[in-house]
Amino acid sequence: MSDTVVVGLDVGGTSTRATALTLSGERLGTGRAGGGNPTSHGADRAATELLNALREALTDVDPTRVAAGTIGLAGAARLLADPAGRAAFDRAWHDAGLRCPYAVHGDALVAYASGTAAPDGTVLIAGTGAITAQVRDLRLDRVADGHGWLLGDAGSGFWLGRESVRRLLADLDAGHTLGALTTAVLTELMGSAEIAARPRDTVDATIQTVTRRPPIELARLAPLVVSAATDGEPVATALVAEAAAHLVDSVSRIRPAGAVTPVVLGGGLLTADTPLATAVRAEVARHWPAAPLRVAGDGAAAAAWLAARELPE
């Protein structure tokens, strides 16, 4: 078994990461490609990015040494239920030279495993979207939110972006002087902070600009909120506090009061040093003071570790 290799992939909407590890943990190769989430980009494009990441990770590895693999991605259940999508992934796997089986798990489980080896606990992810999951015996048990931008993902990057535009429109409607955040949002959307002599014209132009684009692009405004909150801007600070409350509320739906199992924070908004991460940490500590708090790490390596666990002893 010393020559045995496992492969793990962390597939996201903006990037696909792959890694090849030996069973002793030696990293033999890594690969990175574009966004490979089939829900966001379609199965064929997702499979192409998957193949690109795999080929890079296996540059110096004989694919016949790979005994198992795991793919972690958001919407795993949708892929598994879609024969065409699964076939596209099967082809990419085969075209990379791999003949071993692979498992598909939700990104929440992979994020959890990247933060702790404890079999039971909770993971909270906030990036473009937001989801919470309860993990039992390293399997997803119960899930809260992750309902997508239209129906949920409260506290996510999309949510922050949408709410910042709502604050902008409210200020324009009321004739208020724009603050630092709403000025930055207007400039980002319209290329200028100039307000028309008839403010409603700016409102209409802003709405048209937003609605012409895919809704999920509102998540690109989240860094403006985070940056403004870092500077203490009142509107941004209030949005961050509200987002943190939404995120911890989703945890409360499925995590028992007084639980002492680990809580893993994942997603760019919670793994980076952001005001939202700070606020969420404080809320988690207030609700579950005895719970170890962990941060998600290398998702591809965690996926490879999950693959290794499934091999016969």
Side-chain angles (χ1 to χ4, degrees):
M1 297 290 283
S2 59
D3 291 335
T4 300
V5 177
V6 288
V7 168
L9 292 106
D10 184 15
V11 180
T14 57
S15 68
T16 300
R17 295 179 174 85
T19 191
L21 301 176
T22 67
L23 295 186
S24 63
E26 179 186 359
R27 193 184 299 267
L28 301 179
T30 60
R32 181 166 182 171
N37 189 301
T39 303
S40 304
H41 304 296
D44 288 338
R45 177 182 163 186
T48 296
E49 301 298 344
L50 181 85
L51 177 57
N52 291 338
L54 276 172
R55 281 176 169 164
E56 186 176 345
L58 296 172
T59 299
D60 298 318
V61 179
D62 179 356
T64 63
R65 292 177 58 193
V66 181
T70 292
I71 300 172
L73 79 163
R78 288 190 290 273
L79 174 68
L80 294 173
D82 174 19
R86 186 60 189 261
F89 272 48
D90 286 346
R91 286 193 299 272
W93 196 258
H94 186 273
D95 289 347
L98 298 169
R99 300 297 180 263
C100 63
Y102 68 92
V104 178
H105 291 301
D107 60 339
L109 179 63
V110 171
Y112 177 83
S114 74
T116 180
D120 303 326
T122 307
V123 60
L124 168 62
I125 300 174
T128 299
I131 189 170
T132 299
Q134 193 75 355
V135 175
R136 294 188 187 279
D137 194 25
L138 287 175
R139 293 286 186 272
L140 291 185
D141 183 19
R142 300 178 61 196
V143 176
D145 207 345
H147 300 150
W149 63 267
L150 182 61
L151 299 175
D153 289 356
S156 67
F158 169 84
W159 185 93
L160 286 172
R162 183 191 62 192
E163 293 304 309
S164 70
V165 177
R166 284 180 167 175
R167 300 305 192 275
L168 166 63
L169 297 177
D171 281 350
L172 291 171
D173 284 344
H176 292 160
T177 300
L178 299 186
L181 174 61
T182 47
T183 297
V185 170
L186 180 60
T187 302
E188 177 67 22
L189 291 174
M190 306 303 296
S192 167
E194 183 177 355
I195 300 173
R198 180 175 177 268
R200 187 66 195 186
D201 291 340
T202 301
V203 169
D204 292 341
T206 301
I207 292 171
Q208 290 174 18
T209 296
V210 170
T211 54
R212 286 192 189 113
R213 300 173 180 174
I216 202 65
E217 284 197 14
L218 285 173
R220 295 171 59 184
L221 300 174
L224 298 180
V225 181
V226 171
S227 178
T230 300
D231 294 337
E233 203 273 350
V235 174
T237 299
L239 284 179
V240 163
E242 189 175 348
H246 280 306
L247 292 169
V248 176
D249 176 69
S250 74
V251 178
S252 297
R253 296 178 203 171
I254 58 174
R255 182 177 172 89
V260 298
T261 55
V263 176
V264 177
L265 302 181
L269 288 172
L270 300 183
T271 56
D273 183 16
T274 68
L276 182 57
T278 299
V280 167
R281 284 173 172 272
E283 283 295 298
V284 169
R286 185 170 68 85
H287 283 77
W288 300 279
L293 192 57
R294 305 283 186 258
V295 176
D298 186 336
W305 178 70
L306 289 172
R309 292 185 73 256
E310 299 302 319
L311 291 174
E313 294 187 11

